[in-house]
Structure formats: structure tokens, C-alpha cells
Amino acid sequence: MPSSETDLAEARAKMIAKRFGGASAATGGKGAARRKKKAASRSSSAQSDVKLSAALKKLGATNIPAIEEVNLFKEDGKVIHFVNPKVQASIQANTYIVSGPSDTKPLQELLPSIVSQLGMDNISQLQNAMAAQGGAGAGGMPGMGMPDVAEEEDDDDVPDLVDGNFEEVSEA
């Protein structure tokens, strides 16, 4: 009789597979609707892009066209350099959004083209770097040397109106 029991077990397995679809994608318990396939979830990057665009829309950010490059100067002397970025601005929120591929480069690497964008702190960093390298000027280019900061401060002083003591001149 053992053969009849194995035949019976096989017949039961076939009947269960026929009725219930074998290895179906049933996810719920008794009485739950069965799904034919699993629902594909959105990728996290697509989801974050949607959230970002919704936040920018709330801010009222508008595109600024025809910007060729953006340079963000860091305190350590490096520059985050964007070429042809997408720039958006929300003036009311004092917010600017710069997106696109970027490179982090040392200040000396971008030098000849960004001299006009440098502030006083960047110029002093550049002078220190050039002194450390023993360079002849900005980027090692003769004639491109930066003026000394001390000379610029002397220009801001009030010029002497009279030679000598002002009180002696006023009494005479």
C-alpha cells in the first residue's frame, strides 16, 4: 500500500497546483486578492528629483539662461568649477541653485581666466601660494603679478593737507 499513498500524495500536489496556480505571487492571507506581478517601485534618484523640483517650484525659482560657468571659492583655496550649469534663482528667498557636472580644482589651475572674479581674501591666498612656490607672478606668468595688499591700504589713507603741525599753521 505504500505505493498508493505516494500516488495519492502526488495527485494531491497536482490538484493543489492546478487549483491555486502553483508558485503564484500571492502576498496576502485567506481571501486576499492576488497580484499577477509585483509592482515596480520608482528609483530613489527619480523620487528625489521629483521632490527637488517640487521644492523649487514652491520657492518660485526661475531659470537664468546663458550662464557659461560658475566658480564657487572654498576657504581652503580650492574652487568648485561648473561648466555650462543650469542656474535657477529665487530672489525673494535669497536662494540660487546651481546644478550640473562640477570639478573641484585648485585655484592656480583656473588662474588666468578667473582673476577678475577674485576677492581680497582669494588674492591674499593666491599671494601666499605663489610665495610658497616661488612663482614670478600669477600662474608663473610675468607681468601678471598681484599688487601688494599693503600698497592698496596706503591708498585708502587720508592725504596730508598741510606740512607739519596743523595747529601751528592755523595760528599763523
Side-chain angles (χ1 to χ4, degrees):
M1 288 247 208
S3 67
S4 66
E5 287 179 16
T6 58
D7 291 340
L8 188 60
E10 288 178 15
R12 283 183 180 158
K14 285 182 183 177
M15 184 60 82
I16 289 173
K18 182 179 174 186
R19 277 194 174 169
F20 300 111
S24 68
T27 58
K30 183 177 181 182
R34 292 191 179 105
R35 290 187 282 170
K36 300 293 181 194
K37 62 179 183 177
K38 283 190 171 184
S41 63
R42 291 199 296 189
S43 67
S44 63
S45 65
Q47 216 168 15
S48 64
D49 287 345
V50 168
K51 287 182 180 180
L52 179 64
S53 62
L56 294 177
K57 192 173 183 180
K58 276 185 186 177
L59 284 176
T62 57
N63 286 338
I64 301 175
I67 294 198
E68 295 175 3
E69 71 174 357
V70 172
N71 294 315
L72 300 175
F73 297 95
K74 296 171 63 177
E75 289 182 1
D76 62 354
K78 297 192 185 278
V79 179
I80 301 174
H81 180 71
F82 293 86
V83 178
N84 293 326
K86 179 180 179 185
V87 179
Q88 297 171 301
S90 174
I91 306 300
Q92 301 86 2
N94 194 21
T95 304
Y96 296 90
I97 301 97
V98 180
S99 57
S102 66
D103 296 325
T104 302
K105 299 179 179 181
L107 181 62
Q108 290 83 5
E109 195 172 314
L110 298 170
L111 248 185
S113 62
I114 64 166
V115 171
S116 63
Q117 300 173 12
L118 296 175
M120 288 304 296
D121 53 342
N122 297 113
I123 289 176
S124 62
Q125 284 179 354
L126 182 61
Q127 285 176 342
N128 294 339
M130 288 300 140
Q133 289 181 356
M141 298 174 64
M144 286 291 293
M146 296 291 168
D148 289 335
V149 177
E151 291 177 12
E152 289 183 12
E153 289 177 4
D154 289 341
D155 293 340
D156 293 338
D157 290 340
V158 178
D160 294 332
L161 298 176
V162 248
D163 295 330
N165 191 350
F166 182 74
E167 292 178 2
E168 291 175 2
V169 173
S170 64
E171 290 174 2

